[in-house]
Amino acid sequence: MDLEKSFCYNLSMVKIMNYMNYIDINIKNLQDNINYIRDNLAYKYFILDVSNNGFYHGMYIINELANIDYLYVNNFKDLLKVRSYNKKIPTIYSGDIDEDNIYDLIMNNAILLIKDTSILKYQDIRDDVEVIMALDSNGYIGIKEKDDIEKVISFIKNNSHIHLLGFKLDENEETYKDIILKYKAKLTIIDDFNNQNKDGIINAIKIDNEAYGINKVKKDFFKKDNNNYKQSFTLKAKIKKIETIKIKKKDIKVAIISLGYLNGMHENITKVVINKQIYDVFKVKEEYSLIKIDEHISNSDIVTITSSDNPLNIYLDENILQYLSSLQNKFPILYNEEIKILC
């Protein structure tokens, strides 16, 4: 390790020790989830959504993953984060495309998701770019009319720098089967795990929160008792101090952590793990929480608020992403208990 990296590493360690709380990402769980998905779904290509800074797991994860063919982001900021870690990994961009960003997108090697006919006005594209056409019979998140689809495809074919990589469907729609078969693009993408792909025309699937082990989704594929599917996100807090309080003339020993409902501890979480044992959350206040403990717990022990052994799905169900977003930028992120991001 060179001097600069050593300095940054040691500085990061000091920061970690000074913060009472931190996030740990279990990359093995994340990779195992992806492998499980690949083993159980009959698609050729798998696309991982890493929007919102890798679903709040940090974009560092992209260099640790295997068995992913493409990345997917819904905003330009995340595209730049991807490129800060990996200049070449194929990345689909589904955000807005306009005169202010189209050339920056192309220069950052983005695969553009075309959702309307506005691409037709960019006649002067002189750098190679791949595009995917979003098709939607409702017209909400893709092109609806077949005449418009043909116009865009004709435009693409008449520009030697623009290359049609594939199509993305909001559902497995018979509506566009003839177009997909006619143009035989490399990718035909769906993001519906209930899709059975009976016609065999879908060869790629976009996966998002399924890979990270958060939220329950789509029929029985990810059941709560499925041991092959684990949360990769862990939130930990160091015990600040231990007190004995009296409740109804009975002494109760509690550990105090500096996480409350305003800064990271969700009120619905009722149990935590300390030294591999489960303990009850006694009280959650604005900026601290009390954990009911016993004589086996000491100062500076680590409280695991949530992990694969105590997953958020038990407590939050459909609100997990909203909760994770509230944690963003509040805590340092470690990966497999190691500091991977240097200053």
Side-chain angles (χ1 to χ4, degrees):
M1 184 180 291
D2 61 36
L3 183 60
E4 181 181 0
K5 287 186 176 180
S6 176
F7 171 78
C8 290
Y9 180 87
N10 291 328
L11 179 60
S12 297
M13 285 297 295
V14 170
K15 289 179 179 178
I16 294 292
M17 289 186 290
N18 286 339
Y19 282 114
M20 293 296 289
N21 317 302
Y22 65 93
I23 291 167
D24 179 41
I25 304 301
N26 189 318
I27 293 176
K28 183 180 184 302
N29 282 358
L30 180 55
Q31 184 64 63
D32 287 348
N33 292 340
I34 292 170
N35 292 343
Y36 179 76
I37 292 168
R38 287 198 73 123
D39 290 344
N40 286 275
L41 292 179
Y43 296 97
K44 184 176 181 179
Y45 301 103
F46 290 80
I47 301 161
L48 179 64
D49 194 334
V50 292
S51 302
N52 302 312
N53 196 23
F55 277 58
Y56 312 107
H57 288 59
M59 207 62 82
Y60 173 82
I61 58 175
I62 68 173
N63 280 338
E64 295 292 309
L65 301 179
N67 290 333
I68 286 297
D69 302 293
Y70 296 86
L71 299 180
Y72 186 101
V73 296
N74 61 22
N75 63 84
F76 187 58
K77 182 178 179 181
D78 280 331
L79 176 67
L80 293 180
K81 285 182 179 179
V82 168
R83 290 291 170 250
S84 71
Y85 285 101
N86 192 305
K87 301 295 184 185
K88 296 181 179 180
I89 188 168
T91 304
I92 300 167
Y93 169 83
S94 74
D96 293 334
I97 300 172
D98 54 41
E99 294 177 356
D100 292 331
N101 69 8
I102 186 168
Y103 299 105
D104 286 331
L105 288 167
I106 293 172
M107 293 305 294
N108 278 281
N109 199 26
I111 300 167
L112 306 183
L113 186 67
I114 307 301
K115 293 182 280 189
D116 54 43
T117 59
S118 63
I119 189 68
L120 298 175
K121 64 185 178 182
Y122 299 108
Q123 302 285 336
D124 58 345
I125 292 176
R126 295 293 180 266
D127 293 290
D128 286 345
V129 60
E130 291 182 311
V131 300
I132 293 171
M133 293 184 62
L135 311 182
D136 179 9
S137 61
N138 295 306
Y140 300 149
I141 55 172
I143 304 174
K144 176 180 180 180
E145 302 298 336
K146 289 189 177 181
D147 286 347
D148 289 334
I149 295 169
E150 293 286 359
K151 286 178 184 177
V152 173
I153 292 177
S154 177
F155 168 78
I156 292 170
K157 287 186 172 295
N158 288 328
N159 188 315
S160 61
H161 295 285
I162 307 176
H163 311 284
L164 180 63
L165 180 63
F167 301 96
K168 182 176 182 295
L169 304 179
D170 63 327
E171 296 175 2
N172 188 7
E173 299 179 37
E174 287 289 321
T175 311
Y176 304 112
K177 181 179 177 181
D178 56 338
I179 289 176
I180 292 168
L181 293 175
K182 176 180 178 181
Y183 291 103
K184 296 182 175 67
K186 180 179 179 180
L187 302 178
T188 303
I189 305 167
I190 199 80
D191 58 7
D192 180 6
F193 273 72
N194 287 321
N195 168 49
Q196 298 300 311
N197 195 21
K198 294 178 181 178
D199 296 324
I201 62 173
I202 311 296
N203 66 357
I205 188 164
K206 181 176 79 71
I207 55 178
D208 39 56
N209 48 346
E210 303 91 0
Y212 302 95
I214 54 179
N215 286 341
K216 291 303 163 192
V217 293
K218 292 99 178 177
K219 58 176 186 177
D220 294 329
F221 192 80
F222 298 109
K223 295 185 292 188
K224 287 190 177 182
D225 59 352
N226 185 348
N227 293 325
N228 297 300
Y229 177 66
K230 297 179 179 179
Q231 179 177 303
S232 53
F233 179 95
T234 298
L235 176 61
K236 296 185 177 183
K238 188 183 296 183
I239 293 176
K240 191 172 183 178
K241 59 181 177 178
I242 292 174
E243 298 282 358
T244 300
I245 61 176
K246 192 175 293 290
I247 302 293
K248 295 180 180 179
K249 298 182 180 181
K250 183 179 179 181
D251 288 340
I252 296 177
K253 197 173 186 181
V254 295
I256 303 169
I257 59 173
S258 56
L259 281 184
Y261 61 76
L262 291 182
N263 63 349
M265 182 67 177
H266 200 286
E267 294 173 286
N268 287 6
I269 297 175
T270 58
K271 296 184 183 298
V272 297
V273 176
I274 311 174
N275 299 335
K276 298 182 180 181
Q277 297 296 317
I278 296 175
Y279 291 90
D280 292 328
V281 177
F282 182 72
K283 185 178 294 186
V284 179
K285 300 295 285 184
E286 290 91 338
E287 296 182 0
Y288 68 91
S289 297
L290 303 181
I291 313 299
K292 189 176 179 181
I293 59 171
D294 54 32
E295 67 278 5
H296 301 294
I297 305 304
S298 59
N299 272 319
S300 298
D301 277 347
I302 299 297
V303 180
T304 300
I305 308 301
T306 179
S307 69
S308 59
D309 296 323
N310 187 34
L312 290 167
N313 287 313
I314 295 174
Y315 307 105
L316 305 187
D317 198 25
E318 296 301 319
N319 297 316
I320 293 176
L321 289 179
Q322 183 178 355
Y323 169 63
L324 293 184
S325 70
S326 72
L327 303 180
Q328 192 172 29
N329 301 322
K330 290 183 179 178
F331 310 112
I333 298 178
L334 283 69
Y335 295 88
N336 292 34
E337 297 283 359
E338 296 178 6
I339 297 175
K340 298 286 189 179
I341 298 181
L342 304 176
C343 5

